[in-house]
Each structure stands twice: as C-alpha cells, then as structure tokens.
DNA sequence: CGTCCGATGAACT
DNA sequence: GTTCATCGGACGT
C-alpha cells in the first residue's frame, strides 16, 4: 500500500510550491467499493487573501469558504456552474486561505468505472479526465467530500506520495476561467507536467521563474 | 444549481 | 436610526 502524503506536505505556507509538488502524486478515490486512481498532471494555486480569483479573497468567511481556512490536508469541494464539482486541496496552517485546484489527472486504476461514470468515454481518451469537473465525475468526488481529511487510508479521498516531478518538467501559465479584468495581474499560477497529453489545454507560455 | 450581495421594508429601541 | 428577514438577480477557480 503506497504511503500517503503526510500533514507536513500540506501545511507549508507556499501554495505555489505545494501546487507544483502535487504534480506526479496520485489522487485516489474509494467510493461505493470502487477504487480509482490517477496521476495529478495539472493544478492551479489560489492564494487568498490577496488573490481576487479566490472564493476567500480578502479572507471572506462564509459558510462555503470556511473549509478553505482549515488546516492543510483536507478537501475543498464546491459546485461550479451548477453542474461541476471541483476538487481542491486545502494547504497551509489553519487560518490561511490557500488551496490547490486539481484540474487534470492521468487515470491509472479503475479505468472501467471511470469510463462508466463519464458516460462511456473510452478510458484511453484524454477527455476522460482533462478538466476539473471531469476528474471529479470520473472519481465520484462531490460536495459530500467537502472538508474531509486526505490523510488517512480509510478516507474516501486521499493522495499517495510518488517520485517528485523535476521543476524543469513543470510548465506554468495563466489560470483558466478567470476574468482578466477582475484579476489585477495575469499570474502564472497554473502548473502542468510538460508534454503530458492528459492535461486540459495545449502548451502555453513557459516561465523560468514564478512571479511572487 | 448554489451562493451571495444589495435592495427593500418591517420591527424594534 | 438601526437591525434583521426576505427577496431577486447576477454570476461562478
């Protein structure tokens, strides 16, 4: 049984680093007796309070955003556009509003059930999991998992450790779906494993260094 | 579909 | 004057 990422992985304050370090790790769901797994190949960082794109911009606390302020190592799952469940990893110590959104995975285990949950899309098609709503649909992750710990082997959603992806194999670019007007700057806080065909968009700008 | 904020107005002090 | 409940619509990592 693969080791899970420890608390210390999540409670680091640098969500940009955690988002990059999540690449290559293995997201696991064990739901309704079905195990599915996939390699995380694309993430985005959301760093409140200063991040206007975050639900917790300005450290705004509402019933929905409370999860974001929890201690790192749990899930933040919310509904987007009334249809998509989006899975985020809460990071940083309690009280910090930092999360990493999982946008795409490379499926490795439970391909048949993932295909079934995705309306019969063939398990070798990148469209199976190349988007945040597709990942949660394939893995049956939903709002019922909001706030749950990722740290226990008994958890329905958890993340296994794996060999780190070298920084030279990570490309970054602007986040998806953010109104540029609302975002004061075009921060390259979306991270992908370079040349991995399971990510959600074609190759974009390459940055040697992360601003901020 | 849910969330949330601003508008509206009632009730209270 | 202030606070609170309710409503409506805008919008969504």
């Amino acid at each position: 049984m693969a080791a899970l990422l420890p608390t210390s992985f999540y409670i680091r304050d640098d969500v940009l680093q955690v988002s990059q370090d999540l690449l290559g790790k293995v997201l696991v769901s064990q739901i309704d007796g079905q195990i599915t797994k996939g390699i995380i190949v694309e993430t985005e960082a959301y760093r409140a309070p200063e991040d206007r794109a975050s639900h917790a911009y300005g450290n705004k606390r509402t019933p929905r955003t409370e999860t974001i302020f929890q201690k790192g190592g749990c899930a933040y799952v919310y509904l987007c556009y009334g249809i998509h469940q989006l899975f985020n990893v809460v990071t940083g110590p309690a009280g910090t509003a930092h999360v990493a959104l999982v946008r795409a995975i490379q499926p490795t285990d439970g391909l048949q059930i993932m295909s079934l949950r995705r309306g019969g899309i063939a398990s070798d098609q990148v469209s199976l999991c190349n988007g945040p709503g597709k990942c949660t649909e394939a893995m049956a992750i939903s709002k019922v998992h909001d706030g749950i710990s990722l740290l226990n082997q008994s958890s329905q959603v958890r993340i296994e450790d794996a060999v780190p992806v070298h920084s030279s194999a990570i490309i970054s670019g602007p986040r998806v779906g953010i109104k540029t007007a609302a975002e004061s700057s075009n921060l390259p806080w979306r991270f992908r494993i370079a040349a991995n065909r399971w990510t959600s968009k074609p190759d974009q700008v390459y940055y040697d260094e992360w601003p901020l």
Side-chain angles (χ1 to χ4, degrees):
Chain A
M1 184 177 285
L4 301 185
L5 293 174
T7 308
S8 57
F9 179 94
Y10 299 100
I11 62 174
R12 291 175 290 163
D13 196 48
D14 185 354
V15 67
L16 301 184
Q17 190 63 54
V18 176
S19 298
Q20 290 165 76
D21 291 348
L22 278 168
L23 297 175
K25 308 308 184 196
V26 178
L27 179 61
V28 181
S29 81
Q30 184 168 7
I31 293 165
D32 297 332
Q34 305 279 355
I35 291 183
T36 63
K37 299 188 185 187
I39 301 165
I40 297 171
V41 295
E42 178 174 342
T43 62
E44 284 178 359
Y46 288 85
R47 193 179 71 180
E50 73 274 22
D51 183 356
R52 297 190 66 95
S54 168
H55 291 157
Y57 172 61
N59 282 339
K60 181 176 67 174
R61 297 183 91 118
T62 68
R64 180 177 62 155
T65 64
E66 272 309 307
T67 307
I68 302 174
F69 294 90
Q70 290 187 28
K71 180 180 171 185
C74 66
Y76 171 52
V77 184
Y78 73 93
L79 187 66
C80 182
Y81 301 138
I83 41 181
H84 302 304
Q85 317 270 339
L86 268 58
F87 169 76
N88 300 253
V89 177
V90 176
T91 74
T96 60
H98 299 174
V99 303
L101 168 68
V102 173
R103 285 193 52 86
I105 61 172
Q106 175 178 339
T108 58
D109 291 69
L111 302 183
Q112 191 172 0
I113 184 71
M114 293 171 101
S115 173
L116 198 60
R117 288 167 176 160
R118 289 280 296 124
I121 292 175
S123 59
D124 61 347
Q125 298 296 305
V126 294
S127 58
L128 190 67
C129 296
N130 66 344
K134 299 174 186 177
C135 290
T136 55
E137 187 173 40
M139 301 194 91
I141 296 171
S142 71
K143 287 206 317 175
V144 304
H145 302 109
D146 182 49
I148 67 163
S149 172
L150 306 170
L151 302 169
N152 308 310
Q153 290 286 359
S154 59
S155 179
Q156 288 192 320
V157 184
R158 49 194 193 262
I159 303 179
E160 294 174 353
D161 201 354
V163 178
V165 174
H166 193 267
S167 60
S168 64
I170 297 174
I171 56 178
S172 72
R175 292 175 292 182
V176 174
I178 295 178
K179 286 189 296 188
T180 53
E183 184 72 350
S184 54
S185 55
N186 201 19
L187 302 168
W189 287 1
R190 171 171 173 246
F191 304 103
R192 304 167 46 218
I193 299 180
N196 187 294
R197 74 186 187 99
W198 296 92
T199 62
S200 75
K201 289 280 177 72
D203 284 358
Q204 294 186 354
V205 185
Y206 177 83
Y207 295 81
D208 286 324
E209 296 177 330
W210 326 125
L212 300 181

